[in-house]
PDB file of all heavy atoms in Angstrom:
ATOM      1  N   THR Q 232     117.232  82.376 109.134  1.00  0.00           N
ATOM      2  CA  THR Q 232     117.604  81.270 110.029  1.00  0.00           C
ATOM      3  C   THR Q 232     117.239  81.605 111.476  1.00  0.00           C
ATOM      4  O   THR Q 232     116.786  80.745 112.239  1.00  0.00           O
ATOM      5  CB  THR Q 232     119.107  80.930 109.889  1.00  0.00           C
ATOM      6  OG1 THR Q 232     119.392  80.733 108.500  1.00  0.00           O
ATOM      7  CG2 THR Q 232     119.459  79.677 110.648  1.00  0.00           C
ATOM      8  N   THR Q 233     117.403  82.880 111.835  1.00  0.00           N
ATOM      9  CA  THR Q 233     116.972  83.327 113.168  1.00  0.00           C
ATOM     10  C   THR Q 233     115.496  83.008 113.370  1.00  0.00           C
ATOM     11  O   THR Q 233     115.089  82.487 114.419  1.00  0.00           O
ATOM     12  CB  THR Q 233     117.191  84.849 113.298  1.00  0.00           C
ATOM     13  OG1 THR Q 233     118.528  85.145 112.943  1.00  0.00           O
ATOM     14  CG2 THR Q 233     116.899  85.335 114.698  1.00  0.00           C
ATOM     15  N   ASN Q 234     114.703  83.313 112.366  1.00  0.00           N
ATOM     16  CA  ASN Q 234     113.262  83.073 112.497  1.00  0.00           C
ATOM     17  C   ASN Q 234     112.928  81.586 112.556  1.00  0.00           C
ATOM     18  O   ASN Q 234     112.004  81.184 113.267  1.00  0.00           O
ATOM     19  CB  ASN Q 234     112.503  83.744 111.359  1.00  0.00           C
ATOM     20  CG  ASN Q 234     112.402  85.248 111.570  1.00  0.00           C
ATOM     21  OD1 ASN Q 234     112.507  85.723 112.711  1.00  0.00           O
ATOM     22  ND2 ASN Q 234     112.232  85.997 110.499  1.00  0.00           N
ATOM     23  N   LEU Q 235     113.668  80.769 111.807  1.00  0.00           N
ATOM     24  CA  LEU Q 235     113.415  79.317 111.899  1.00  0.00           C
ATOM     25  C   LEU Q 235     113.598  78.876 113.347  1.00  0.00           C
ATOM     26  O   LEU Q 235     112.808  78.107 113.893  1.00  0.00           O
ATOM     27  CB  LEU Q 235     114.359  78.538 110.980  1.00  0.00           C
ATOM     28  CG  LEU Q 235     114.106  78.675 109.473  1.00  0.00           C
ATOM     29  CD1 LEU Q 235     115.169  77.902 108.685  1.00  0.00           C
ATOM     30  CD2 LEU Q 235     112.715  78.199 109.082  1.00  0.00           C
ATOM     31  N   HIS Q 236     114.643  79.399 113.984  1.00  0.00           N
ATOM     32  CA  HIS Q 236     114.875  79.043 115.389  1.00  0.00           C
ATOM     33  C   HIS Q 236     113.747  79.556 116.291  1.00  0.00           C
ATOM     34  O   HIS Q 236     113.243  78.823 117.141  1.00  0.00           O
ATOM     35  CB  HIS Q 236     116.229  79.581 115.862  1.00  0.00           C
ATOM     36  CG  HIS Q 236     117.379  78.700 115.466  1.00  0.00           C
ATOM     37  ND1 HIS Q 236     117.523  77.414 115.929  1.00  0.00           N
ATOM     38  CD2 HIS Q 236     118.426  78.912 114.641  1.00  0.00           C
ATOM     39  CE1 HIS Q 236     118.628  76.872 115.410  1.00  0.00           C
ATOM     40  NE2 HIS Q 236     119.189  77.775 114.616  1.00  0.00           N
ATOM     41  N   LEU Q 237     113.364  80.807 116.104  1.00  0.00           N
ATOM     42  CA  LEU Q 237     112.297  81.364 116.967  1.00  0.00           C
ATOM     43  C   LEU Q 237     111.008  80.566 116.796  1.00  0.00           C
ATOM     44  O   LEU Q 237     110.270  80.337 117.753  1.00  0.00           O
ATOM     45  CB  LEU Q 237     112.045  82.834 116.629  1.00  0.00           C
ATOM     46  CG  LEU Q 237     113.146  83.816 117.048  1.00  0.00           C
ATOM     47  CD1 LEU Q 237     112.809  85.225 116.567  1.00  0.00           C
ATOM     48  CD2 LEU Q 237     113.342  83.803 118.570  1.00  0.00           C
ATOM     49  N   LEU Q 238     110.741  80.152 115.560  1.00  0.00           N
ATOM     50  CA  LEU Q 238     109.520  79.386 115.303  1.00  0.00           C
ATOM     51  C   LEU Q 238     109.633  77.979 115.890  1.00  0.00           C
ATOM     52  O   LEU Q 238     108.653  77.419 116.392  1.00  0.00           O
ATOM     53  CB  LEU Q 238     109.221  79.354 113.804  1.00  0.00           C
ATOM     54  CG  LEU Q 238     108.769  80.716 113.253  1.00  0.00           C
ATOM     55  CD1 LEU Q 238     108.882  80.770 111.736  1.00  0.00           C
ATOM     56  CD2 LEU Q 238     107.343  81.049 113.698  1.00  0.00           C
ATOM     57  N   MET Q 239     110.846  77.432 115.859  1.00  0.00           N
ATOM     58  CA  MET Q 239     111.016  76.104 116.477  1.00  0.00           C
ATOM     59  C   MET Q 239     110.918  76.181 118.001  1.00  0.00           C
ATOM     60  O   MET Q 239     110.462  75.236 118.635  1.00  0.00           O
ATOM     61  CB  MET Q 239     112.314  75.451 116.006  1.00  0.00           C
ATOM     62  CG  MET Q 239     112.150  74.855 114.612  1.00  0.00           C
ATOM     63  SD  MET Q 239     113.507  73.772 114.107  1.00  0.00           S
ATOM     64  CE  MET Q 239     114.683  74.956 113.484  1.00  0.00           C
ATOM     65  N   VAL Q 240     111.318  77.304 118.565  1.00  0.00           N
ATOM     66  CA  VAL Q 240     111.123  77.482 120.009  1.00  0.00           C
ATOM     67  C   VAL Q 240     109.643  77.246 120.346  1.00  0.00           C
ATOM     68  O   VAL Q 240     109.303  76.601 121.334  1.00  0.00           O
ATOM     69  CB  VAL Q 240     111.557  78.905 120.445  1.00  0.00           C
ATOM     70  CG1 VAL Q 240     110.976  79.260 121.804  1.00  0.00           C
ATOM     71  CG2 VAL Q 240     113.066  79.014 120.464  1.00  0.00           C
ATOM     72  N   SER Q 241     108.781  77.747 119.476  1.00  0.00           N
ATOM     73  CA  SER Q 241     107.344  77.622 119.731  1.00  0.00           C
ATOM     74  C   SER Q 241     106.742  76.315 119.215  1.00  0.00           C
ATOM     75  O   SER Q 241     105.847  75.756 119.834  1.00  0.00           O
ATOM     76  CB  SER Q 241     106.599  78.775 119.063  1.00  0.00           C
ATOM     77  OG  SER Q 241     106.952  79.999 119.660  1.00  0.00           O
ATOM     78  N   PHE Q 242     107.210  75.865 118.073  1.00  0.00           N
ATOM     79  CA  PHE Q 242     106.492  74.781 117.394  1.00  0.00           C
ATOM     80  C   PHE Q 242     107.247  73.450 117.370  1.00  0.00           C
ATOM     81  O   PHE Q 242     106.709  72.454 116.911  1.00  0.00           O
ATOM     82  CB  PHE Q 242     106.120  75.209 115.965  1.00  0.00           C
ATOM     83  CG  PHE Q 242     105.117  76.323 115.961  1.00  0.00           C
ATOM     84  CD1 PHE Q 242     105.483  77.631 115.649  1.00  0.00           C
ATOM     85  CD2 PHE Q 242     103.803  76.071 116.308  1.00  0.00           C
ATOM     86  CE1 PHE Q 242     104.552  78.662 115.663  1.00  0.00           C
ATOM     87  CE2 PHE Q 242     102.859  77.091 116.324  1.00  0.00           C
ATOM     88  CZ  PHE Q 242     103.231  78.395 116.008  1.00  0.00           C
ATOM     89  N   TYR Q 243     108.468  73.450 117.832  1.00  0.00           N
ATOM     90  CA  TYR Q 243     109.149  72.168 118.019  1.00  0.00           C
ATOM     91  C   TYR Q 243     109.169  71.898 119.517  1.00  0.00           C
ATOM     92  O   TYR Q 243     109.996  72.425 120.249  1.00  0.00           O
ATOM     93  CB  TYR Q 243     110.567  72.198 117.435  1.00  0.00           C
ATOM     94  CG  TYR Q 243     111.358  70.950 117.743  1.00  0.00           C
ATOM     95  CD1 TYR Q 243     110.848  69.690 117.390  1.00  0.00           C
ATOM     96  CD2 TYR Q 243     112.584  71.003 118.400  1.00  0.00           C
ATOM     97  CE1 TYR Q 243     111.546  68.529 117.700  1.00  0.00           C
ATOM     98  CE2 TYR Q 243     113.294  69.851 118.702  1.00  0.00           C
ATOM     99  CZ  TYR Q 243     112.765  68.622 118.354  1.00  0.00           C
ATOM    100  OH  TYR Q 243     113.457  67.467 118.669  1.00  0.00           O
TER     101      TYR Q 243
END
Side-chain angles (χ1 to χ4, degrees):
T232 308
T233 308
N234 284 337
L235 289 177
H236 278 296
L237 289 176
L238 290 163
M239 281 192 276
V240 162
S241 294
F242 294 106
Y243 174 55

